Amino acid sequence: MKALTVKQLAAISGVTVRTLHHYDEIGLLKPAYVGENGYRYYEREQLLRLQQILFHREFGIPLNEIAELLELDGEDQVGLLLRHREKLEAEARRYADLIETIDRTIAGLQGQDEMKNADLYKGFSAEKQDEYEAWLVERYGDRMKDDIARTKKAMAKMSEAEQKAAMQELHDVEQALAEGLRRGVDPASDAVERMIARHRAWVAAAWDRPCTAEAYSGLADLYLSHPDFVKRYETIEPGFTDYLTTAMKAHAARQA
Amino acid sequence: MKALTVKQLAAISGVTVRTLHHYDEIGLLKPAYVGENGYRYYEREQLLRLQQILFHREFGIPLNEIAELLELDGEDQVGLLLRHREKLEAEARRYADLIETIDRTIAGLQGQDEMKNADLYKGFSAEKQDEYEAWLVERYGDRMKDDIARTKKAMAKMSEAEQKAAMQELHDVEQALAEGLRRGVDPASDAVERMIARHRAWVAAAWDRPCTAEAYSGLADLYLSHPDFVKRYETIEPGFTDYLTTAMKAHAARQA
DNA sequence: CTTGCACCCTCACGAGGCGTGAGGGTCAAC
DNA sequence: GTTGACCCTCACGCCTCGTGAGGGTGCAAG
């Protein structure tokens, strides 16, 4: 029988000696036998097992799970692999999103803000609405439901052209405010106040009813609290969430 | 000035209190000031900074790098973001590959080995050749160069149909051997020996010259040592690298 | 047999990014 | 003044090894 030392096994399997020590320590891969001198000796069976370990490790499966996995037979291994496949897909999608965000951020930093409305503003339409709705009701109670229903109707009765125009207006307002942030303009200043008034008007239009100071302040809280909004605003400019909401609150306070 | 406690800042930024403590410890985000009672108080400036930190953290940038990053101005940040974008792309591709490997493995485990030759065997053609070449020369010295050149010519002068047929033959041999592994057949047995003879013949054909016992044994070493080959064989069946090479060595030994 | 060198062993700390208590002050409202 | 809800500072744990320190072992050449 060919017996491999740690070094040899390490060399042909591509791991380090320390890794073999570690796997021995945690009981994941024990040597075929240990010499009187304390040397670890591995045989073919261990090499096979190690290769299976490394196969699964590739996918980021933690070592203790690999240990359990190897006790199972083929049937169950397929199931586990499939579950892990989903995780990998989720990760892959996440990376794709991150890359997109970077691209947008760089475009923004370079002043090439020619991004299409449909891109950055799509978060406001379709499927996401349900999620926001559930969130708002949970947070603000049932009295929110009417407002939501009204907003949905208002959006629905807009033509596509009108929606586009509305999004353009929102975009302009936000870009102007972001410019204020970049220039270090006080969010409570008069200049910002004027843009905020436009923003509030936009909100009122979207809701299809007046937007009270209280409601506007509540909206600022929503922006601060819901990760989707935070992400959206931080994508426009880091720190923009706080800048916008501070300005909104200041505006609401003046009205009170 | 509004001063936020740890809890409050944690709530609106979505991190935990412990994280704020940690960031303070490592100097990444220090409070605006600390009360006499030892309480940390944060203001808008810190919130802005925290949001930038979280923005970058999303991409997996380590905290110490984020700290350096935030000292830079916009220009350099773009450069860093671009560099990180590449890392993300590499990761995304890696995940895509892993998913593919899982799919193939599952297909294999379920006996649905209907994978296209071009898929699993593409590793043997085109760009990868240069890499193997460099590796072989580094490992076996210049005397390897002639062999490589001959193999390349042999492959080049094959028609596409011939290449396909060759790949089919290799595939059949490997599947038969993998079946031996699954059934626990001794890799030194006569049954395996017969398949190995076919394998060696295939190699000789690919090299366009006889494959000596010594060369065949050396090839087994290559399979064991080069990660690409290991990965390829482990994809066919975990443990197949060792099974195949053991059989190859046994075959070579009988000839000597 | 000695010398040397490559290999083997066992601790044990470190890194990254916090989670999770333990043990004990502080603040605001009732 | 008493409750809670906060706040603080240690300090260990997690996970997978990397990286020494300090010291024994095996094999070949001189």
Side-chain angles (χ1 to χ4, degrees):
Chain A
M1 290 298 149
K2 57 172 181 181
L4 299 169
T5 66
V6 275
K7 181 90 195 284
Q8 291 168 340
L9 179 57
I12 67 180
S13 65
V15 303
T16 68
V17 171
R18 177 67 176 100
T19 298
L20 293 177
H21 285 171
H22 183 57
Y23 290 177
D24 186 7
E25 268 176 38
I26 64 174
L28 179 56
L29 180 72
K30 294 210 162 289
Y33 61 95
V34 177
E36 292 186 4
N37 46 23
Y39 286 22
R40 294 168 177 83
Y41 293 104
Y42 298 86
E43 292 178 356
R44 194 163 54 236
E45 191 184 330
Q46 283 72 47
L47 173 55
L48 293 180
R49 185 178 169 92
L50 176 54
Q51 280 165 340
Q52 291 198 61
I53 291 168
L54 297 179
F55 175 78
H56 294 295
R57 193 185 64 167
E58 268 285 293
F59 308 128
I61 302 178
L63 300 181
N64 53 358
E65 282 184 34
I66 294 179
E68 296 170 21
L69 221 163
L70 294 183
E71 299 308 310
L72 304 171
D73 53 3
E75 281 294 313
D76 303 320
Q77 287 196 13
V78 171
L80 284 174
L81 275 180
L82 279 174
R83 263 197 276 158
H84 217 77
R85 201 199 110 104
E86 288 181 22
K87 279 195 210 166
L88 289 175
E89 270 196 326
E91 280 295 288
R93 273 197 302 275
R94 205 177 94 85
Y95 278 112
D97 287 349
L98 289 175
I99 289 171
E100 258 190 70
T101 304
I102 285 195
D103 288 346
R104 282 206 301 264
T105 302
I106 289 173
L109 284 176
Q110 293 177 337
Q112 301 162 350
D113 303 13
E114 317 281 25
M115 33 193 160
K116 292 155 210 144
N117 292 331
D119 189 355
L120 189 54
Y121 293 92
K122 70 182 173 194
F124 273 170
S125 55
E127 328 78 16
K128 276 286 178 182
Q129 285 291 359
D130 289 339
E131 197 185 313
Y132 295 140
E133 189 174 332
W135 192 90
L136 282 165
V137 170
E138 183 192 313
R139 183 121 174 169
Y140 293 105
D142 280 6
R143 69 179 171 80
M144 210 58 207
K145 279 191 177 167
D146 287 344
D147 297 351
I148 293 169
R150 196 196 314 262
T151 303
K152 285 180 100 167
K153 267 189 220 153
M155 289 292 266
K157 80 183 179 195
M158 274 197 262
S159 71
E160 209 174 284
E162 278 176 303
Q163 284 190 24
K164 253 194 145 175
M167 285 309 176
Q168 184 60 50
E169 160 74 358
L170 179 59
H171 177 252
D172 291 344
V173 171
E174 285 171 349
Q175 285 304 314
L177 287 167
E179 183 61 18
L181 167 57
R182 281 189 289 270
R183 292 183 188 276
V185 180
D186 182 349
S189 71
D190 284 339
V192 170
E193 162 81 13
R194 277 190 292 278
M195 290 313 296
I196 281 292
R198 268 179 74 185
H199 182 257
R200 182 172 163 190
W202 183 90
V203 170
W207 287 359
D208 200 25
R209 66 174 177 79
C211 172
T212 67
E214 196 190 352
Y216 196 55
S217 180
L219 185 63
D221 285 330
L222 169 61
Y223 287 176
L224 272 174
S225 311
H226 195 294
D228 277 340
F229 283 97
V230 171
K231 188 171 181 182
R232 179 168 175 283
Y233 292 129
E234 291 307 305
T235 301
I236 290 175
E237 184 82 12
F240 187 61
T241 320
D242 183 61
Y243 190 81
L244 172 63
T245 54
T246 302
M248 287 170 73
K249 293 260 186 190
H251 173 87
R254 288 199 201 181
Q255 307 274 315
Chain B
M1 290 298 147
K2 58 172 183 181
L4 299 168
T5 67
V6 275
K7 182 92 195 282
Q8 291 167 339
L9 179 56
I12 67 178
S13 64
V15 304
T16 68
V17 171
R18 177 67 177 100
T19 298
L20 294 177
H21 285 170
H22 183 58
Y23 289 178
D24 186 6
E25 269 176 37
I26 65 173
L28 179 56
L29 180 71
K30 295 210 163 289
Y33 60 95
V34 177
E36 291 186 4
N37 46 22
Y39 285 21
R40 295 169 177 83
Y41 293 104
Y42 298 86
E43 292 178 356
R44 195 163 51 237
E45 192 185 329
Q46 283 71 48
L47 173 55
L48 293 180
R49 185 178 169 91
L50 176 55
Q51 280 164 340
Q52 291 198 59
I53 291 169
L54 297 180
F55 175 78
H56 294 296
R57 193 185 64 167
E58 268 285 293
F59 308 129
I61 302 178
L63 299 182
N64 54 358
E65 282 183 35
I66 294 179
E68 296 169 21
L69 223 162
L70 294 183
E71 300 307 311
L72 304 171
D73 53 3
E75 283 292 314
D76 302 321
Q77 288 196 12
V78 171
L80 284 173
L81 274 180
L82 278 174
R83 263 198 276 157
H84 217 76
R85 202 199 108 104
E86 288 182 22
K87 280 195 209 165
L88 288 175
E89 271 197 324
E91 280 295 288
R93 273 196 301 275
R94 204 177 95 85
Y95 278 112
D97 287 349
L98 289 175
I99 289 170
E100 257 190 71
T101 303
I102 285 196
D103 288 345
R104 282 205 301 263
T105 303
I106 289 173
L109 284 177
Q110 294 179 337
Q112 301 162 349
D113 303 13
E114 317 282 24
M115 34 193 159
K116 293 156 211 143
N117 292 329
D119 189 353
L120 188 54
Y121 293 92
K122 70 182 172 193
F124 273 169
S125 56
E127 327 77 16
K128 276 287 177 183
Q129 285 290 359
D130 289 339
E131 194 185 315
Y132 294 138
E133 189 173 334
W135 192 91
L136 283 165
V137 170
E138 181 192 313
R139 183 125 174 166
Y140 294 104
D142 281 350
R143 68 180 172 79
M144 209 60 206
K145 279 191 175 167
D146 287 343
D147 297 351
I148 293 169
R150 195 195 313 261
T151 302
K152 286 180 101 166
K153 268 190 220 152
M155 289 292 266
K157 81 182 179 196
M158 273 197 264
S159 71
E160 209 174 283
E162 279 176 302
Q163 283 191 24
K164 254 194 144 174
M167 285 308 176
Q168 184 61 50
E169 161 73 359
L170 179 59
H171 177 252
D172 291 345
V173 172
E174 286 171 348
Q175 285 305 315
L177 287 166
E179 184 61 18
L181 167 58
R182 280 189 289 271
R183 291 182 188 277
V185 179
D186 182 349
S189 71
D190 285 341
V192 171
E193 163 81 13
R194 277 191 291 278
M195 290 312 297
I196 281 292
R198 267 177 76 184
H199 183 257
R200 182 171 164 190
W202 183 90
V203 171
W207 288 358
D208 201 24
R209 65 177 176 78
C211 172
T212 68
E214 196 191 352
Y216 196 56
S217 180
L219 185 63
D221 285 331
L222 169 61
Y223 287 176
L224 272 175
S225 311
H226 196 293
D228 277 339
F229 283 95
V230 171
K231 187 171 180 183
R232 177 168 177 284
Y233 291 127
E234 291 307 306
T235 301
I236 291 175
E237 184 81 14
F240 187 60
T241 320
D242 184 60
Y243 190 82
L244 172 64
T245 54
T246 302
M248 286 170 73
K249 293 261 187 187
H251 173 87
R254 289 197 201 183
Q255 307 273 315

